[in-house]
Amino acid sequence: MAVLETIAIAFWAMLPAYVPNNAAVLAGGGRPIDGGRTWGEKRVLGNGKTWRGTAIGVTAGLALAAALTLLAEDVSSLLGFTVPEFSPSAALGLAGGAMLGDILASFLKRRSGRERGAMFPGLDQLDFVVVSLPLTALLATDWFREWFTLEVILVVVVLTPILHVTTNMIAYKLGLKNEPW
Ligand code: CTP
Ligand code: K
Ligand code: MG
Protein backbone atom coordinates (compact mmCIF):
# COMPACT_ATOMS: atom_id res chain seq x y z
CA MET A 1 0.00 0.00 0.00
CA ALA A 2 2.75 2.41 0.94
CA VAL A 3 4.45 1.53 -2.34
CA LEU A 4 1.31 2.33 -4.35
CA GLU A 5 1.03 5.59 -2.47
CA THR A 6 4.62 6.51 -3.34
CA ILE A 7 4.04 5.63 -7.00
CA ALA A 8 0.84 7.71 -7.14
CA ILE A 9 2.52 10.73 -5.53
CA ALA A 10 5.56 10.44 -7.83
CA PHE A 11 3.35 10.24 -10.93
CA TRP A 12 1.13 13.13 -9.81
CA ALA A 13 4.07 15.32 -8.81
CA MET A 14 5.83 14.67 -12.13
CA LEU A 15 2.84 15.20 -14.44
CA PRO A 16 3.70 18.91 -15.05
CA ALA A 17 7.15 17.70 -16.18
CA TYR A 18 5.82 14.82 -18.31
CA VAL A 19 3.34 16.80 -20.38
CA PRO A 20 5.56 19.57 -21.91
CA ASN A 21 7.55 17.23 -24.16
CA ASN A 22 4.42 15.58 -25.49
CA ALA A 23 2.70 18.93 -26.02
CA ALA A 24 5.79 20.15 -27.89
CA VAL A 25 5.57 17.16 -30.23
CA LEU A 26 1.96 18.08 -31.05
CA ALA A 27 2.67 21.83 -31.29
CA GLY A 28 6.14 21.81 -32.82
CA GLY A 29 7.13 23.60 -35.97
CA GLY A 30 8.10 27.08 -37.02
CA ARG A 31 11.32 28.86 -36.20
CA PRO A 32 14.06 26.81 -34.58
CA ILE A 33 15.48 28.23 -31.31
CA ASP A 34 19.02 28.19 -32.69
CA GLY A 35 17.89 30.20 -35.74
CA GLY A 36 19.71 27.75 -37.99
CA ARG A 37 23.09 28.56 -36.44
CA THR A 38 25.83 25.98 -36.26
CA TRP A 39 28.58 25.28 -33.76
CA GLY A 40 31.47 23.56 -35.42
CA GLU A 41 30.09 21.38 -38.20
CA LYS A 42 26.72 20.81 -36.60
CA ARG A 43 23.64 22.81 -35.69
CA VAL A 44 23.60 24.22 -32.15
CA LEU A 45 20.26 22.50 -31.39
CA GLY A 46 18.65 21.57 -34.71
CA ASN A 47 15.19 21.95 -36.24
CA GLY A 48 13.60 19.72 -33.59
CA LYS A 49 13.73 22.49 -30.93
CA THR A 50 11.37 25.30 -31.90
CA TRP A 51 10.09 28.43 -30.14
CA ARG A 52 6.49 27.37 -30.63
CA GLY A 53 7.03 23.83 -29.33
CA THR A 54 8.89 25.13 -26.29
CA ALA A 55 6.37 27.88 -25.45
CA ILE A 56 3.36 25.59 -25.83
CA GLY A 57 5.14 22.81 -23.94
CA VAL A 58 5.86 25.02 -20.92
CA THR A 59 2.36 26.51 -21.06
CA ALA A 60 0.78 23.05 -21.14
CA GLY A 61 2.84 22.01 -18.09
CA LEU A 62 1.84 25.14 -16.15
CA ALA A 63 -1.82 24.74 -17.09
CA LEU A 64 -1.79 21.13 -15.99
CA ALA A 65 -0.17 22.05 -12.66
CA ALA A 66 -2.95 24.61 -12.11
CA ALA A 67 -5.64 22.06 -12.97
CA LEU A 68 -4.11 19.40 -10.69
CA THR A 69 -3.92 21.95 -7.88
CA LEU A 70 -7.67 22.57 -8.20
CA LEU A 71 -8.30 18.81 -8.09
CA ALA A 72 -5.78 17.94 -5.37
CA GLU A 73 -8.14 18.15 -2.40
CA ASP A 74 -10.86 16.00 -3.97
CA VAL A 75 -8.37 13.46 -5.30
CA SER A 76 -6.68 13.29 -1.89
CA SER A 77 -9.90 12.48 -0.05
CA LEU A 78 -10.78 9.95 -2.76
CA LEU A 79 -7.42 8.18 -2.45
CA GLY A 80 -7.10 8.47 1.32
CA PHE A 81 -3.69 10.16 1.20
CA THR A 82 -2.53 13.63 0.22
CA VAL A 83 -1.33 14.44 -3.30
CA PRO A 84 0.54 17.71 -3.82
CA GLU A 85 -0.79 21.06 -4.87
CA PHE A 86 1.65 22.98 -7.07
CA SER A 87 2.94 26.42 -6.20
CA PRO A 88 3.70 28.61 -9.23
CA SER A 89 7.44 28.21 -8.65
CA ALA A 90 7.14 24.41 -8.36
CA ALA A 91 5.12 24.33 -11.58
CA LEU A 92 7.69 26.49 -13.35
CA GLY A 93 10.58 24.34 -12.14
CA LEU A 94 8.91 21.15 -13.34
CA ALA A 95 7.56 22.38 -16.70
CA GLY A 96 10.41 24.75 -17.55
CA GLY A 97 13.02 22.28 -16.36
CA ALA A 98 11.56 19.52 -18.52
CA MET A 99 11.78 21.65 -21.67
CA LEU A 100 15.24 22.90 -20.73
CA GLY A 101 16.44 19.33 -20.18
CA ASP A 102 15.13 18.31 -23.60
CA ILE A 103 16.90 21.29 -25.21
CA LEU A 104 20.19 20.55 -23.42
CA ALA A 105 19.91 16.93 -24.56
CA SER A 106 19.61 18.08 -28.18
CA PHE A 107 22.68 20.27 -27.66
CA LEU A 108 24.60 17.20 -26.45
CA LYS A 109 23.24 15.07 -29.29
CA ARG A 110 24.47 17.57 -31.90
CA ARG A 111 27.89 17.84 -30.21
CA SER A 112 28.22 14.05 -30.34
CA GLY A 113 27.40 14.05 -34.06
CA ARG A 114 23.84 12.71 -33.79
CA GLU A 115 21.41 14.11 -36.35
CA ARG A 116 17.95 15.35 -35.48
CA GLY A 117 15.80 12.44 -34.35
CA ALA A 118 18.74 10.15 -33.60
CA MET A 119 18.42 7.97 -30.54
CA PHE A 120 20.50 8.58 -27.42
CA PRO A 121 19.50 5.82 -24.97
CA GLY A 122 19.35 6.99 -21.39
CA LEU A 123 19.50 10.68 -22.23
CA ASP A 124 16.25 10.50 -24.25
CA GLN A 125 14.38 8.98 -21.32
CA LEU A 126 15.78 10.98 -18.43
CA ASP A 127 16.90 14.35 -19.83
CA PHE A 128 13.88 16.18 -18.44
CA VAL A 129 14.15 14.56 -14.99
CA VAL A 130 17.82 15.49 -14.69
CA VAL A 131 17.02 19.19 -15.16
CA SER A 132 13.46 19.54 -13.82
CA LEU A 133 14.20 18.07 -10.38
CA PRO A 134 17.25 20.24 -9.57
CA LEU A 135 15.52 23.33 -11.00
CA THR A 136 12.43 22.66 -8.86
CA ALA A 137 14.63 22.10 -5.82
CA LEU A 138 16.18 25.48 -6.55
CA LEU A 139 12.97 27.43 -7.27
CA ALA A 140 10.66 25.73 -4.75
CA THR A 141 12.98 24.30 -2.12
CA ASP A 142 10.45 23.70 0.68
CA TRP A 143 7.88 22.20 -1.69
CA PHE A 144 10.52 19.94 -3.20
CA ARG A 145 11.70 18.77 0.24
CA GLU A 146 8.17 17.99 1.30
CA TRP A 147 7.24 15.87 -1.73
CA PHE A 148 10.39 14.55 -3.32
CA THR A 149 11.53 12.14 -0.65
CA LEU A 150 14.23 9.64 -1.53
CA GLU A 151 11.52 7.02 -2.18
CA VAL A 152 9.64 9.33 -4.56
CA ILE A 153 12.84 10.19 -6.44
CA LEU A 154 13.65 6.47 -6.81
CA VAL A 155 10.18 5.80 -8.20
CA VAL A 156 10.56 8.73 -10.62
CA VAL A 157 13.88 7.39 -11.91
CA VAL A 158 12.37 3.94 -12.53
CA LEU A 159 8.89 5.02 -13.68
CA THR A 160 9.92 7.80 -16.07
CA PRO A 161 11.80 5.69 -18.65
CA ILE A 162 8.91 3.18 -18.70
CA LEU A 163 6.33 5.92 -19.27
CA HIS A 164 8.58 7.66 -21.79
CA VAL A 165 9.07 4.55 -23.92
CA THR A 166 5.33 3.73 -23.76
CA THR A 167 4.01 7.20 -24.66
CA ASN A 168 6.54 7.69 -27.45
CA MET A 169 5.68 4.30 -28.93
CA ILE A 170 1.99 5.25 -28.89
CA ALA A 171 2.73 8.68 -30.43
CA TYR A 172 4.79 6.96 -33.14
CA LYS A 173 2.04 4.43 -33.91
CA LEU A 174 -0.48 7.27 -34.13
CA GLY A 175 1.77 9.04 -36.62
CA LEU A 176 2.41 12.00 -34.28
CA LYS A 177 6.12 11.35 -33.93
CA ASN A 178 8.73 10.43 -36.54
CA GLU A 179 10.64 7.98 -34.33
CA PRO A 180 9.45 5.66 -31.56
CA TRP A 181 11.85 7.25 -28.96
N1 CTP B 1 9.54 19.96 -30.50
C1 CTP B 1 9.59 21.36 -30.63
N2 CTP B 1 10.22 22.11 -29.66
C2 CTP B 1 10.78 21.52 -28.58
C3 CTP B 1 10.74 20.12 -28.45
C4 CTP B 1 10.11 19.36 -29.43
O1 CTP B 1 9.08 21.91 -31.59
N3 CTP B 1 11.37 22.28 -27.63
C5 CTP B 1 8.84 19.18 -31.56
C6 CTP B 1 9.66 19.11 -32.86
O2 CTP B 1 8.74 19.09 -33.93
C7 CTP B 1 10.38 17.78 -32.71
C8 CTP B 1 9.33 16.92 -32.05
O3 CTP B 1 8.67 17.81 -31.15
O4 CTP B 1 10.79 17.26 -33.96
C9 CTP B 1 9.89 15.71 -31.31
O5 CTP B 1 10.69 16.13 -30.21
P1 CTP B 1 12.11 15.50 -29.92
O6 CTP B 1 12.05 14.02 -30.07
O7 CTP B 1 12.56 16.05 -28.64
O8 CTP B 1 13.00 16.15 -31.08
P2 CTP B 1 13.78 15.48 -32.31
O9 CTP B 1 13.08 15.91 -33.58
O10 CTP B 1 13.96 14.05 -32.08
O11 CTP B 1 15.16 16.23 -32.28
P3 CTP B 1 16.43 15.93 -31.35
O12 CTP B 1 17.26 14.93 -32.07
O13 CTP B 1 17.08 17.24 -31.24
O14 CTP B 1 15.91 15.44 -30.03
K1 K C 1 13.91 14.48 -26.70
MG1 MG D 1 13.47 12.64 -30.74
Side-chain angles (χ1 to χ4, degrees):
M1 186 58 206
V3 176
L4 285 181
E5 196 174 311
T6 308
I7 293 173
I9 289 171
F11 180 67
W12 177 279
M14 283 302 285
L15 271 174
Y18 287 151
V19 160
N21 294 280
N22 297 303
V25 172
L26 298 178
R31 286 199 302 135
I33 295 172
D34 68 9
R37 278 182 284 274
T38 55
W39 182 347
E41 303 281 281
K42 301 287 180 182
R43 288 281 295 276
V44 179
L45 300 173
N47 285 335
K49 304 297 112 142
T50 67
W51 288 111
R52 192 169 80 206
T54 307
I56 293 181
V58 174
T59 306
L62 295 177
L64 183 69
L68 293 177
T69 297
L70 292 176
L71 294 172
E73 219 175 280
D74 287 339
V75 172
S76 297
S77 47
L78 201 73
L79 295 176
F81 56 85
T82 311
V83 293
E85 298 180 10
F86 298 88
S87 64
S89 50
L92 191 65
L94 291 165
M99 286 277 79
L100 193 61
D102 181 55
I103 290 167
L104 288 174
S106 291
F107 179 79
L108 292 178
K109 286 188 202 177
R110 300 302 91 81
R111 303 288 73 70
S112 64
R114 290 172 170 81
E115 300 298 335
R116 173 190 179 181
M119 178 165 60
F120 199 147
L123 194 67
D124 277 327
Q125 288 75 37
L126 284 169
D127 52 19
F128 54 101
V129 174
V130 169
V131 177
S132 65
L133 294 196
L135 189 63
T136 306
L138 204 70
L139 294 179
T141 308
D142 292 341
W143 185 89
F144 185 84
R145 281 226 186 101
E146 183 181 353
W147 294 106
F148 281 83
T149 59
L150 191 59
E151 288 81 14
V152 168
I153 292 174
L154 279 174
V155 169
V156 167
V157 168
V158 175
L159 187 69
T160 301
I162 296 169
L163 287 172
H164 191 272
V165 168
T166 312
T167 51
N168 284 319
M169 186 57 80
I170 293 169
Y172 174 71
K173 294 266 188 222
L174 292 176
L176 300 171
K177 213 171 182 301
N178 295 330
E179 308 87 16
W181 47 80

